[in-house]
Amino acid sequence: MTSIALKSFLGLRQSSPETTHFSYRPKLTTHRRKFTVVAGVSSPKLNGRNLRVAVIGGGPAGGAAAETLAKGGVETFLIERKMDNCKPCGGAIPLCMVGEFDLPLDIIDRRVTKMKMISPSNVAVDIGRTLKPHEYIGMVRREVLDDYLRNRAKDNGANIINGLFLKMDIPKEKNSPYVLHYSSYDGKTGGVGEKCTLEVDAVIGADGANSRVAKSIDAGDYEYAIAFQERIKIPDNKMAYYEDLAEMYVGDDVSPDFYGWVFPKCDHVAVGTGTVTHKGDIKKFQLATRKRAEDKILGGKIIRVEAHPIPEHPRPRRLSGRVALVGDAAGYVTKCSGEGIYFAAKSGRMCAEEIVKGSANGKRMVEEGDLRKYLEKWDKTYWPTYKVLDILQKVFYRSNPAREAFVEMCADEYVQKMTFDSYLYKTVVPGNPLDDIKLAINTIGSLVRANALRREMDKLNV
Amino acid sequence: MSTTFSMASFSPLTPISTTHSSSHCKPHHHNTLSTLTLRPKNHPFFTLSPLRVSAGTSDSPETAVKQPPENISVGTNGSASAVTVPEEIKVSNGFVDPRWVAGTWDLMQFRKNGTTDWDAVIDAEARRRKWLETNPESSSNDSPVVFDTSIVPWWAWIKRFHLPEAELLNGRAAMIGFFMTYLVDSLTGVGLVDQMNNFFCKTLLFVAVGGVLLIRKNEDVDTFKKLLEETTFYDKQWQATWQDENSSNSNK
């Protein structure tokens, strides 16, 4: 059933000549090599072999890390259990990711150019009017994206292992290898895997929220949100509405601390919601989300139900020895928007770059200090983004009146421009101070009004 | 076969439906199985939702968690049989008020002595929002909500929400200001007029006024303390990695 649906959609995918992107690549690597030779002078040289690094997990973080490592001359092993895993995931990627990771345009299923925010009292606000013609939010399917990134890593020389990572032995002496235990499923169809071991010099843990790598380095736990999502196939006439539009519902009924969403997928919509504080009630929130969107998804059929944990903050320890965590395993998901794909891929690449640099293109041993540089750089680059989104979530997802004010605020074109710019390009461009002040006053006005109404509501029927 | 299956699969629901009107609810269950559409599925749940809430918290989490898996099993077991939505269940009537016209409050109906009675608009909107909190309504593109609280002029809000408190706040600010002036005068010997020319004293004045505005009740102090904690919490979560490094460095 689904296969038919998918096939019909193939016509919608763009067959783009974008593959020529690859021609840029050699130039990039030579450039990178030039300045990496300087680093890693202190560490011992490796004799007769290159640095061996294992990447656990083949998602965006693992794929990006493996590609960068392989290109940097490191002997790379990527271990992934399920090659066609379609992880339950919103699947939104910002525009800058397409350029930064040279993604071919045909893996983007849909280009969302309109967002609708719907407040608890059903005030709907269109966001995205400020978008320029070439700007959009890409919607991808994770199985497509992950597969593409993994294959690119493979093309660059990474060894892709179909296996389940079990545990690793942490070496007692300095510079001796980590021993990974995994069951290999290569060349097999089902059944029990074959127990294998692998010796590597460094490990990148990109194995998601339930990371085994994190467990084995005692990285500690993080608070997580649970996201619940139903993929619903809706009639064509209803689907036309969601052609290039995504919806966000806010309200206590939908989620006490997050939002409910309707995202367009290749040939269906994903309806879901998430929460940290009331995980037990997630099904109730899901029903409420469906109820709020009912008018637009009427007659739809649920084709798939999925739930997954979303990290709320980084793990207490993201690095230990020559083991570093990236992506969801480290906990790099933003608050407020719940975005993770871009940050995962970016952190994987950043970590790999530091390893390549620290090992002088795989010629030398790396040490903890080299990996620390990745953390340092990461926190410096992205901490402000995470903090701003945390503040936004705390201010505007706090209560229904705050959400009403949030939606009112989003109707402002200046806000939309700022939000989209920072989302699509991941850079915060300082705005016009006069507009900023106007915005602050308007926002406070909205908050005051909504809270005043709230007080009136509390007085009713008491 | 299908009926027995539907009864079995929905058995966790029956405690709710029986307390409601069972004759009314049962047909919906049949619909749910045969149609596999969204409406029938959440329809019984939502028409019952006020009842579920009032029935007490003890059984509500259980039913809330159990109910959706039924949907899932129905969806996967018989996904082939898709039938159109039955027309007769159109009950989501939404919020009804004669003054609520085309997604906004009809201001003509709030006329009083030639002017709009904004107090009544605020009352009406508060009532609507309260109603929506207990009866969430699906958002519709055909009848969008266009009411915006900013159409109520600022003085209407001030009159309603600030003036009753203004007397108290003014009095409090005056008292605190007076005693602070007295205190500064007695300690430093700087008189009232000279204090006005002093930067420190002006700052004190702003602190006093700001404090009076922000801290209106004793609980407000706690609220601010909690807010401060909340704003730094995320920073601490991020810095955990670095504290780890610092401590290990100092051990060396």
Side-chain angles (χ1 to χ4, degrees):
Chain A
M1 179 95 198
T2 43
S3 69
I4 299 166
L6 284 175
K7 219 172 267 167
S8 71
F9 178 73
L10 280 175
L12 257 176
R13 285 176 99 189
Q14 275 135 356
S15 50
S16 61
E18 243 63 28
T19 38
T20 45
H21 268 302
F22 292 102
S23 55
Y24 294 123
R25 194 138 301 125
K27 266 184 241 159
L28 263 174
T29 43
T30 48
H31 175 68
R32 205 171 284 147
R33 245 166 223 169
K34 219 179 265 170
F35 71 86
T36 50
V37 185
V38 200
V41 217
S42 57
S43 48
K45 236 177 171 168
L46 294 164
N47 288 326
R49 64 175 177 89
N50 277 4
L51 187 80
R52 299 159 305 181
V53 177
V55 180
I56 316 296
E67 185 195 355
T68 313
L69 286 171
K71 265 195 278 178
V74 174
E75 196 177 351
T76 312
F77 303 92
L78 189 147
I79 302 178
E80 164 66 43
R81 168 68 190 97
K82 201 159 176 277
M83 293 298 180
D84 56 349
N85 188 23
C86 35
K87 186 187 170 188
C89 175
I93 57 168
L95 191 58
C96 64
M97 187 173 175
V98 179
E100 281 172 42
F101 288 86
D102 277 332
L103 299 179
L105 289 182
D106 63 345
I107 71 168
I108 293 167
D109 288 338
R110 275 180 194 278
R111 298 173 177 209
V112 170
T113 52
K114 283 178 264 174
M115 294 274 285
K116 229 184 199 24
M117 289 259 316
I118 295 145
S119 83
S121 67
N122 273 341
V123 176
V125 160
D126 284 308
I127 315 177
R129 281 169 294 160
T130 58
L131 284 184
K132 297 183 192 77
H134 67 279
E135 291 176 330
Y136 59 88
I137 300 168
M139 284 291 172
V140 297
R141 270 166 296 164
R142 280 293 297 279
E143 57 271 32
V144 179
L145 177 74
D146 294 3
D147 188 57
Y148 173 77
L149 287 175
R150 267 198 310 265
N151 282 336
R152 215 160 69 178
K154 196 178 180 182
D155 294 342
N156 279 291
N159 305 300
I160 312 286
I161 300 167
N162 185 358
L164 175 67
F165 171 75
L166 299 169
K167 61 172 178 145
M168 71 183 174
D169 300 332
I170 291 160
K172 299 275 187 295
E173 300 121 62
K174 205 183 172 220
N175 291 344
S176 46
Y178 287 82
V179 181
L180 307 186
H181 298 267
Y182 67 96
S183 28
S184 165
Y185 296 91
D186 268 329
K188 278 191 164 190
T189 50
V192 200
E194 189 186 335
K195 293 266 177 292
C196 294
T197 55
L198 181 69
E199 286 194 353
V200 290
D201 300 310
V203 179
I204 296 181
D207 46 350
N210 301 317
S211 173
R212 287 189 179 175
V213 177
K215 218 168 275 161
S216 53
I217 62 165
D218 194 22
D221 284 325
Y222 44 51
E223 189 68 47
Y224 65 91
I226 184 100
F228 194 91
Q229 176 172 283
E230 287 166 330
R231 300 194 182 210
I232 299 179
K233 181 108 178 73
I234 57 176
D236 288 344
N237 57 335
K238 302 261 181 201
M239 195 66 210
Y241 169 67
Y242 287 112
E243 178 69 45
D244 53 358
L245 177 134
E247 284 183 325
M248 284 170 67
Y249 291 88
V250 289
D252 272 334
D253 55 327
V254 164
S255 168
D257 52 355
F258 204 60
Y259 61 87
W261 62 84
V262 181
F263 285 161
K265 293 291 195 176
C266 50
D267 63 338
H268 55 268
V269 291
V271 181
T273 179
T275 175
V276 190
T277 49
H278 296 70
K279 294 194 188 78
D281 292 337
I282 187 77
K283 305 260 163 87
K284 198 177 82 192
F285 298 139
Q286 175 66 17
L287 284 172
T289 311
R290 250 198 264 152
K291 167 80 184 168
R292 289 276 291 275
E294 190 176 45
D295 203 49
K296 296 156 206 163
I297 57 171
L298 198 64
K301 274 183 294 168
I302 299 173
I303 52 177
R304 197 188 175 94
V305 181
E306 38 200 28
H308 58 118
I310 301 177
E312 278 289 289
H313 59 87
R315 281 190 203 272
R317 185 190 280 175
R318 282 174 272 160
L319 197 140
S320 165
R322 281 165 280 144
V323 182
L325 299 175
V326 295
D328 271 17
Y332 296 143
V333 177
T334 61
K335 296 258 184 122
C336 199
S337 60
E339 188 198 353
I341 300 179
Y342 175 75
F343 293 106
K346 204 72 189 164
S347 64
R349 179 184 271 186
M350 200 180 268
C351 182
E353 274 171 359
E354 292 307 324
I355 291 179
V356 170
K357 221 193 267 183
S359 68
N361 290 95
K363 301 284 183 296
R364 289 173 185 276
M365 193 66 191
V366 286
E367 48 196 35
E368 185 168 345
D370 297 318
L371 296 175
R372 278 273 166 203
K373 280 192 198 125
Y374 136 70
L375 275 194
E376 218 166 89
K377 205 168 150 193
W378 179 263
D379 282 11
K380 208 175 121 200
T381 321
Y382 291 110
W383 160 245
T385 311
Y386 284 92
K387 181 65 186 170
V388 166
L389 286 168
D390 176 58
I391 293 172
L392 279 183
Q393 167 150 355
K394 283 194 175 126
V395 173
F396 292 114
Y397 290 175
R398 175 170 287 268
S399 59
N400 269 353
R403 292 185 189 105
E404 296 283 357
F406 186 41
V407 172
E408 265 179 38
M409 187 185 86
C410 284
D412 187 81
E413 289 216 343
Y414 178 68
V415 176
Q416 295 183 15
K417 203 176 153 312
M418 293 298 280
T419 345
F420 268 104
D421 280 357
S422 51
Y423 175 76
L424 291 178
Y425 302 111
K426 296 292 171 232
T427 46
V428 180
V429 187
N432 180 350
L434 200 71
D435 283 337
D436 282 338
I437 292 169
K438 237 190 330 193
L439 169 66
I441 291 171
N442 282 341
T443 309
I444 292 169
S446 293
L447 277 171
V448 168
R449 283 199 301 267
N451 278 302
L453 269 176
R454 165 100 236 164
R455 271 194 281 161
E456 279 313 293
M457 284 157 67
D458 289 341
K459 274 187 221 157
L460 291 170
N461 325 323
V462 173
Chain B
M1 189 259 149
S2 76
T3 41
T4 53
F5 174 73
S6 77
M7 293 316 287
S9 70
F10 275 92
S11 54
L13 248 183
T14 43
I16 317 167
S17 51
T18 43
T19 46
H20 203 58
S21 60
S22 54
S23 59
H24 174 72
C25 275
K26 263 173 188 160
H28 295 319
H29 293 326
H30 295 297
N31 284 339
T32 316
L33 184 83
S34 57
T35 59
L36 295 158
T37 49
L38 282 170
R39 170 168 285 282
K41 245 172 269 167
N42 46 25
H43 163 72
F45 192 78
F46 270 94
T47 45
L48 292 168
S49 62
L51 190 134
R52 198 174 52 79
V53 172
S54 63
T57 46
S58 60
D59 68 332
S60 59
E62 205 182 310
T63 46
V65 174
K66 268 184 188 162
Q67 210 268 343
E70 258 67 72
N71 289 345
I72 295 159
S73 70
V74 168
T76 46
N77 283 351
S79 56
S81 60
V83 187
T84 48
V85 193
E87 293 300 317
E88 71 274 8
I89 32 168
K90 188 72 187 171
V91 278
S92 64
N93 38 10
F95 179 76
V96 182
D97 189 302
R99 295 172 298 178
W100 181 256
V101 180
T104 186
W105 293 107
D106 183 13
L107 295 180
M108 290 315 286
Q109 296 187 46
F110 287 94
R111 291 296 242 202
K112 211 164 95 184
N113 306 331
T115 51
T116 311
D117 182 8
W118 292 112
D119 261 352
V121 178
I122 293 172
D123 275 336
E125 177 64 10
R127 194 157 296 128
R128 187 178 80 92
R129 289 193 178 179
K130 178 102 183 171
W131 191 88
L132 279 177
E133 278 195 351
T134 40
N135 311 285
E137 202 176 283
S138 42
S139 72
S140 157
N141 289 321
D142 304 327
S143 52
V145 175
V146 288
F147 177 76
D148 181 353
T149 50
S150 61
I151 64 161
V152 181
W154 60 272
W155 50 262
W157 298 98
I158 299 265
K159 205 171 116 194
R160 170 135 187 185
F161 293 101
H162 181 63
L163 288 190
E165 270 193 335
E167 203 68 6
L168 176 83
L169 295 179
N170 282 343
R172 202 180 279 172
M175 276 317 222
I176 290 175
F178 174 74
F179 273 107
M180 289 221 319
T181 322
Y182 179 86
L183 205 71
V184 171
D185 197 345
S186 64
L187 288 176
T188 62
V190 182
L192 175 71
V193 178
D194 289 333
Q195 279 187 33
M196 281 294 106
N197 294 326
N198 186 315
F199 176 73
F200 174 73
C201 293
K202 269 189 194 161
T203 319
L204 220 58
L205 180 74
F206 278 114
V207 170
V209 172
V212 167
L213 280 177
L214 288 175
I215 302 167
R216 302 183 181 193
K217 280 177 270 162
N218 285 337
E219 301 94 79
D220 287 351
V221 182
D222 285 338
T223 320
F224 282 115
K225 263 190 213 156
K226 246 181 246 157
L227 264 181
L228 197 71
E229 232 165 72
E230 219 176 87
T231 44
T232 52
F233 184 56
Y234 197 50
D235 306 36
K236 281 181 197 144
Q237 289 174 332
W238 268 79
Q239 282 151 10
T241 317
W242 299 105
Q243 276 151 12
D244 179 50
E245 185 208 30
N246 292 343
S247 62
S248 65
N249 280 0
S250 59
N251 288 344
K252 284 171 199 165

